[in-house]
């Protein structure tokens, strides 16, 4: 015989006693709740005929699933802990008490008080406790969703040096947008922490892409968001990476003292952390080179190489956008750039030769182009400049980048053209100048030039 629950009574009062009538109201409530909670999964919830029969008949061993509980509470305005309790438990107890009366009344002095359990508080209802626990553990981001978002970021980082920011930025923005939408909903702490980490890394990747596209103000905003979100959950690895990207942005914006200060503050917080390799080589050494601090450059590069040995980082040229620690070749490539700024031509050529094989076997056309431009500039800085070789390397760099220009290549190739000014009548210099004008006239390069100006 079906139990008379509050759920059954409410449906009878509202004339929702058939599956068709109830299902229509339930689906409308699910759509409304999906909009209110910004949880699009709810909009597709439905109730089968068998499910409805169990609910209506009170034949439940456990409460419905968490999402169904949310819709029922929104639809009927009562907690599920009350909806599926028998409505007449107290009346039945009272009736049992009346029928248990003794035919002969004992004298008052010999009567014993009935042995009754202490009354429960409202929040001690067992069904309510179970329901509340399930609500607290409910999540709009299951493990499969978190894994998908995380693998999407790995895919972006893995394809970045082949496809570039113009192709991959929309995908990174979608990951960030979806993660922010999910964070507006409900998750237990473990899932919420992972969503914060994914959101921080999505912002970090977008910050790095913005530098490559020459939008330094946007990069600063994204990098700051990445740093703040990672600090909120104590994710030091992402925090330090975001600080490195912020320093990277300041460097290409020409704010060298700020770039060094940003990287130095992060290194001071975690001097032995693997992410400090990038902060020292990419953040401090290059910025100090621009300010002419020879001693500071040597110290930063030396500290970065010692950390590389400590953490046994890869020997090869790691991806520029990777969240993993810098590889040794990547650190030395940054050392080359630092020595170019200091006009240490001999040191540039020695370091470049040391990593030449690793660079040439790299899949990163940008890295190969940037090292060529640094070596080309050093060849012009020598006591006896090698103009022909320098211009040939400059042309190779432009052809390597093709139709995927980035701000670092644009700045260094333009700098090489300016450095070659004293030889402007040399045929090789004229040829390079013409090739640079053609390369920099494509829309993406023009946008970078506009931002730089």
């Amino acid at each position: 015989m079906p139990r008379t629950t509050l759920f059954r009574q409410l449906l009878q009062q509202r004339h929702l006693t058939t599956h068709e009538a109830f299902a229509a109201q339930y689906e409308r409530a699910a759509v409304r709740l999906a909009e209110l909670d910004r949880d699009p999964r709810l909009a597709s919830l439905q109730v089968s005929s068998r499910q409805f029969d169990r609910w209506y008949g009170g034949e439940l061993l456990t409460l419905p699933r968490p999402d169904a509980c949310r819709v029922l509470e929104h639809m009927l305005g009562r907690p599920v802990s009350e909806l599926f309790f028998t409505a007449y438990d107290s009346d039945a107890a009272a009736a049992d008490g009346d029928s248990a009366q003794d035919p002969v009344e004992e004298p008052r002095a010999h009567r014993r008080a009935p042995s009754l359990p202490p009354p429960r508080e409202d929040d001690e209802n067992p069904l309510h406790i179970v329901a509340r626990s399930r609500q607290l553990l409910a999540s709009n981001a299951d493990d499969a969703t978190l894994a998908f978002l995380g693998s999407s970021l790995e895919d972006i980082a893995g394809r970045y040096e082949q496809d570039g920011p113009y192709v991959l930025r929309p995908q990174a923005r979608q990951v960030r947008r979806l993660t922010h939408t999910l964070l507006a909903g409900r998750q237990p702490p473990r899932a919420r922490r992972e969503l914060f980490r994914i959101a921080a890394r999505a912002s970090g990747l977008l910050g790095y892409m913005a530098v490559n596209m020459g939008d330094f103000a946007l990069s600063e905003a994204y990098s700051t968001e990445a740093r703040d979100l990672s600090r909120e959950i104590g994710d030091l690895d992402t925090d330090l990476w975001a600080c490195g990207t912020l320093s990277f942005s300041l460097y290409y914006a020409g704010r060298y003292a700020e770039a060094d200060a940003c990287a130095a503050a992060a290194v001071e917080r975690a001097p032995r952390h693997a992410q400090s390799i990038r902060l020292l080589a990419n953040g401090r050494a290059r910025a100090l080179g621009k300010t002419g601090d020879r001693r500071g450059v040597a110290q930063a590069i030396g500290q970065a190489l010692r950390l590389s040995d400590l953490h046994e980082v890869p020997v090869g040229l790691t991806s520029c956008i990777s969240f993993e620690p810098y590889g040794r070749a990547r650190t030395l490539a940054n050392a080359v750039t630092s020595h170019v700024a200091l006009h240490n031509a001999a040191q540039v050529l020695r370091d470049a030769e040391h990593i030449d094989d690793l660079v040439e076997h790299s899949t990163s056309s940008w890295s190969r182009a940037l090292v060529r431009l640094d070596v080309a500039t050093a060849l012009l800085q020598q006591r006896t400049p090698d103009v022909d070789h320098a211009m040939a390397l400059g042309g190779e760099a432009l052809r390597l980048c093709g139709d995927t220009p980035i701000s670092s290549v644009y700045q260094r190739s333009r700098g090489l053209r300016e450095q070659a000014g004293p030889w402007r009548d040399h045929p090789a210099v004229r040829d390079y100048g013409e090739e640079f004008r053609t390369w920099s006239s494509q829309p993406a390069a023009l946008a970078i030039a506009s931002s730089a100006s």
Side-chain angles (χ1 to χ4, degrees):
M1 181 175 179
R3 289 192 305 124
T4 304
T5 59
L6 178 60
F7 176 82
R8 186 184 183 92
Q9 286 185 334
L10 290 174
L11 263 57
Q12 288 171 347
Q13 291 170 9
R14 302 182 188 195
H15 307 291
L16 300 175
T17 56
T18 66
H19 171 251
E20 292 76 10
F22 175 81
Q25 290 289 333
Y26 181 89
E27 289 167 20
R28 280 196 286 272
V31 170
R32 286 197 303 271
L33 186 59
E35 294 174 354
L36 289 171
D37 284 4
R38 297 182 181 178
D39 188 350
R41 297 178 308 107
L42 299 177
S44 61
L45 290 182
Q46 295 180 329
V47 179
S48 68
S49 175
R50 178 172 173 76
Q51 223 172 358
F52 172 74
D53 289 342
R54 286 203 310 272
W55 291 357
Y56 191 67
E59 300 170 5
L60 280 81
L61 296 177
T62 62
L63 289 176
R65 295 177 64 84
D67 286 343
C69 289
R70 291 166 63 189
V71 175
L72 288 172
E73 290 181 346
H74 178 71
M75 175 181 174
L76 299 174
R78 301 292 287 271
V80 287
S81 57
E82 297 178 7
L83 289 175
F84 294 104
F85 251 157
T86 302
Y88 297 111
D89 278 347
S90 58
D91 292 345
D96 289 343
D98 290 343
S99 64
Q101 196 171 13
D102 290 334
V104 179
E105 186 176 347
E106 293 185 48
R108 184 180 300 274
H110 297 288
R111 266 186 224 161
R112 299 174 60 185
S115 178
L116 297 175
R120 287 174 174 162
E121 300 290 337
D122 289 343
D123 60 358
E124 289 184 319
N125 182 318
L127 201 56
H128 189 192
I129 292 170
V130 173
R132 188 61 182 157
S133 174
R134 292 186 66 170
Q135 286 176 354
L136 291 173
L137 295 174
S139 177
N140 62 350
D142 57 19
D143 288 343
T145 300
L146 296 174
F148 169 76
L149 292 170
S151 65
S152 295
L153 293 186
E154 291 175 8
D155 178 61
I156 292 168
R159 293 165 49 203
Y160 187 71
E161 297 203 17
Q162 284 72 50
D163 295 344
Y166 307 97
V167 172
L168 294 173
R169 187 170 72 152
Q171 184 179 340
R173 290 177 65 191
Q174 286 174 356
V175 173
R176 176 178 175 270
R177 190 179 299 119
L178 177 56
T179 307
H180 284 209
T181 298
L182 292 171
L183 281 169
R186 175 187 290 173
Q187 311 87 29
R190 177 188 61 81
R192 192 162 186 82
R193 186 183 188 283
E194 181 62 10
L195 281 173
F196 262 79
R197 189 185 75 87
I198 292 168
R201 293 197 166 198
S203 296
L205 292 180
L206 286 165
Y208 197 101
M209 293 180 192
V211 177
N212 287 161
M213 298 172 75
D215 195 335
F216 307 120
L218 184 62
S219 174
E220 188 171 351
Y222 275 133
S223 300
T224 301
E225 178 177 89
R227 182 196 64 192
D228 292 348
L229 291 175
S230 56
R231 286 185 181 178
E232 185 65 27
I233 58 170
D235 182 357
L236 182 61
D237 202 56
T238 306
D239 177 0
L240 296 177
W241 189 92
C243 290
T245 304
L246 182 56
S247 173
F248 174 66
S249 175
L250 293 168
Y251 173 85
Y252 278 106
R255 296 156 63 182
Y256 304 121
E258 292 176 71
D260 175 48
C262 176
V267 171
E268 188 175 349
R269 290 177 55 221
R272 294 172 65 85
H273 197 284
Q275 287 292 343
S276 288
I277 300 170
R278 175 174 178 245
L279 287 161
L280 288 160
N282 187 267
R284 295 215 66 194
R286 299 196 313 163
L288 290 168
K290 288 291 189 180
T291 61
D293 188 344
R294 293 177 180 274
R295 183 180 177 186
V297 169
Q299 288 177 338
I301 294 298
Q303 190 178 348
L305 292 174
R306 286 192 294 275
L307 276 178
S308 298
D309 292 337
L310 177 66
H311 290 282
E312 298 183 351
V313 299
V315 173
L317 196 70
T318 49
S319 169
C320 65
I321 204 169
S322 173
F323 287 98
E324 298 301 315
Y326 256 26
R328 194 175 185 86
R330 177 68 64 185
T331 298
L332 289 174
N334 280 268
V336 166
T337 305
S338 306
H339 290 298
V340 168
L342 295 171
H343 289 246
N344 290 342
Q347 185 70 51
V348 170
L349 297 177
R350 281 197 298 273
D351 287 347
E353 185 177 4
H354 185 66
I355 61 173
D356 180 67
D357 188 58
L358 293 171
V359 171
E360 290 309 300
H361 285 87
S362 165
T363 58
S364 171
S365 58
W366 296 328
S367 297
R368 299 201 300 275
L370 289 167
V371 172
R372 278 171 168 74
L373 289 167
D374 281 343
V375 171
T377 303
L379 290 172
L380 295 181
Q381 293 172 347
Q382 293 181 116
R383 186 167 298 175
T384 305
D386 188 344
V387 178
D388 287 321
H389 190 192
M391 295 301 98
L393 289 174
E396 287 178 17
L398 295 177
R399 290 189 289 278
L400 277 168
C401 286
D403 58 357
T404 55
I406 57 174
S407 59
S408 52
V409 173
Y410 174 82
Q411 288 189 16
R412 288 189 218 179
S413 57
R414 184 186 62 184
L416 178 64
R417 185 191 60 175
E418 294 169 356
Q419 187 96 16
W423 301 278
R424 63 177 56 88
D425 293 329
H426 193 293
V429 175
R430 289 200 302 270
D431 289 345
Y432 174 74
E434 185 59 36
E435 191 167 1
F436 174 78
R437 278 189 291 275
T438 301
W439 180 83
S440 60
S441 65
Q442 56 186 307
L446 289 172
I448 291 171
S450 176
S451 298
S453 63

